[in-house]
Amino acid sequence: MAGIPGLLFLLLLLLLCAVGHVSPYGAHWKPTWPAYRLPVVLPQSTLNLGKPDFGAEAKLEVSSSCGPQCHKGTPLPTYEEAKQYLSYETLYANGSRTETQVGIYVLSSGRGQESSGKSRRKRQIYGYDSRFSIFGKDFLLNYPFSTSVKLSTGCTGTLVAEKHVLTAAHCIHDGKTYVKGTQKLRVGFLKPKFKDGGRGANSSSSGVPEKMKFQWIRVKRTHVPKGWIKGNANDIGMDYDYALLELKKPHKRKFMKIGVSPPAKQLPGGRIHFSGYDNDRPGDLVYRFCDVKDETYDLLYQQCDAQPGASGSGVYVRMWKRQQQKWERKIIGIFSGHQWVDMNGSPQDFNVAVRITPLKYAQICYWIKGNYLDCREG
């Protein structure tokens, strides 16, 4: 394993984007998960920090005036900058916190290298409301909808491992301090609500939506990248609007794996999907899908109908896994928020998702696994 020289870092980022392109032609073509050259993100040093403040108000959405063209004109980070952005802060349930500096590496072996704006109302609904509320335990308790969970701060998260939930960083940290309630953060799982112990009442077969309730599990610790904490005051912040929560006990549900976000033109139908707890439909899990309108290295721009509360939802697609010869859904991004963008002098609004790039995949996977050898396939 060898460190990446600073001058080669930009070339590495471009290579990570380019490897794995699949041509969408041929009679038997299937949208296939690309293979990527994945870097390794490893902790180098950890520093104990002082007690955090939990005074920030929960913001269920974030907004930025820097649109696709603005982001495309921003230089890719240098090696040293990337190390700063991918370093991270960890908050524990007892209120202590640490800051961890990281190193970025490539494997020397060939193994694993397979293939601000004017004030406007943020409507976030585009024409006809195309969202679907999911009713009945036959749907809510089955995959993939069962992977969507609710945070006690009001956002959505997605189950990505036996004890881990992926969400947006702004759901627990505003870039300067932690959101109120984060020290006692909980994750809610929808369960059937039975009255008087009767398990047959209000069944989905009756034609009446079955009542559901949340069962809550406490969070053991959270990880937030320093790119969010350092960059929230400028345009780089939204690129790092993601966080990982570790639960105090396993949730015992099927989860959805994370994956490196393919280019938009390789997505099946050019579409993405996600489900969340939009706050205009209290208690409902709301599913939607839509086309990707534009993309940068770190962000996907789309016009999926969404409302605050859906922030933190895992954006996923279903593609063909060549090695296992099966279809597989993976989380390729995290729904972040809303943007008004100046498009050739005309304001246009987008909803934005943070893409899981090869570097972000390596970081999040290490947070989950604690072993880079288990993070060689994205």
Side-chain angles (χ1 to χ4, degrees), residues 325-338:
Q325 290 292 294
K326 67 176 184 179
W327 294 96
E328 185 175 21
R329 292 179 179 88
K330 289 184 181 181
I331 302 293
I332 62 165
I334 304 94
F335 178 58
S336 178
H338 182 269

Side-chain angles (χ1 to χ4, degrees), residues 1 81 101 103 107 113 117 127 138 162 167-168 193 211 258 267 272 275 283 332 338 350 366:
M1 184 182 291
E81 288 172 338
Q101 302 297 319
L107 291 183
Q113 296 184 354
D138 291 341
E162 291 87 351
T167 189
K193 184 177 183 180
K211 297 293 184 181
I258 62 170
L267 302 178
I272 57 172
S275 300
I332 62 165
H338 182 269
F350 289 98
Y366 186 86

Side-chain angles (χ1 to χ4, degrees), residues 91-215:
L91 174 68
Y92 297 86
N94 64 4
S96 64
R97 62 180 177 139
T98 59
E99 178 177 316
T100 302
Q101 302 297 319
V102 303
I104 302 172
Y105 306 89
V106 291
L107 291 183
S108 56
S109 167
R111 290 183 59 83
Q113 296 184 354
E114 293 180 17
S115 50
S116 81
K118 296 180 180 179
S119 176
R120 299 184 178 93
R121 183 172 63 90
K122 297 176 175 59
R123 54 191 180 91
Q124 294 185 283
I125 301 296
Y126 302 89
Y128 175 75
D129 189 346
S130 61
R131 297 172 297 164
F132 302 89
S133 290
I134 306 300
F135 295 116
K137 64 182 177 62
D138 291 341
F139 292 102
L140 286 168
L141 301 183
N142 286 329
Y143 187 85
F145 303 116
S146 58
T147 64
S148 295
V149 293
K150 185 176 179 66
L151 273 60
S152 56
T153 53
C155 287
T156 300
T158 306
L159 304 177
V160 292
E162 291 87 351
K163 295 174 64 177
H164 292 89
V165 175
L166 187 63
T167 189
H170 74 261
C171 295
I172 61 174
H173 197 291
D174 73 350
K176 297 178 182 178
T177 188
Y178 285 93
V179 169
K180 292 178 181 178
T182 303
Q183 186 174 359
K184 297 182 179 180
L185 186 63
R186 300 178 299 160
V187 171
F189 298 75
L190 273 181
K191 299 277 188 179
K193 184 177 183 180
F194 301 117
K195 293 183 178 180
D196 302 323
R199 302 187 65 83
N202 278 338
S203 67
S204 56
S205 61
S206 69
V208 178
E210 185 167 8
K211 297 293 184 181
M212 306 290 284
K213 65 177 181 179
F214 285 104
Q215 180 180 17

Side-chain angles (χ1 to χ4, degrees), residues 18 42 49 63 87 90 92 159 207 211 237 261 264 266 274 311 340 345:
L42 286 178
L49 300 177
S63 59
S87 295
T90 302
Y92 297 86
L159 304 177
K211 297 293 184 181
S261 174
Q266 292 185 30
F274 62 95
S311 292
W340 281 98

